[in-house]
Amino acid sequence: MTNAEFNNLFCDRTQRFAIRILQFVESLPFNTSTKVMGTQLLKAGTSVGANYRAFTRARSQNERFSKICIVVEEGDETPYWLDLFFGI
């Protein structure tokens, strides 16, 4: 698999993941807790793909490094919010 193929595959997967996050949050009952946690989950879960896409289009190595660090950070934060929702 080439880098370009991997990038396309990962962009597609993260976009599908973001859509599933959106659908999950929309299905939650509305209350103060779900509003706050849902917002945090939406921000983290959707930014993974957006920042990976930015990573693939970066203009410099420093910019690439910065973007991939954000991808890792947001990717790590997303399961935290999901764990809170599911009480794990």
Side-chain angles (χ1 to χ4, degrees):
M1 176 179 295
T2 66
N3 283 343
E5 290 170 333
F6 177 83
N7 288 340
N8 288 336
L9 176 66
F10 200 73
C11 283
D12 290 344
R13 289 182 68 184
T14 56
Q15 186 176 37
R16 286 193 310 271
F17 180 72
I19 291 167
R20 291 181 68 196
I21 291 290
L22 290 164
Q23 291 169 337
F24 171 72
V25 172
E26 287 297 317
S27 74
L28 295 170
F30 183 80
N31 61 49
T32 304
S33 297
T34 58
K35 180 181 177 187
V36 171
M37 291 177 15
T39 298
Q40 291 299 116
L41 176 59
L42 282 171
K43 288 179 180 182
T46 58
S47 74
V48 174
N51 281 293
Y52 190 80
R53 183 180 167 118
F55 161 80
T56 65
R57 291 164 169 71
R59 295 165 293 206
S60 69
Q61 286 297 86
N62 286 342
E63 190 176 353
R64 286 173 61 83
F65 181 75
S66 175
K67 292 299 179 184
I68 202 67
C69 287
I70 295 169
V71 169
V72 171
E73 181 180 351
E74 298 295 338
D76 184 55
E77 184 179 331
T78 302
Y80 171 79
W81 294 111
L82 287 170
D83 288 346
L84 285 179
F85 274 110
F86 294 105
I88 296 172

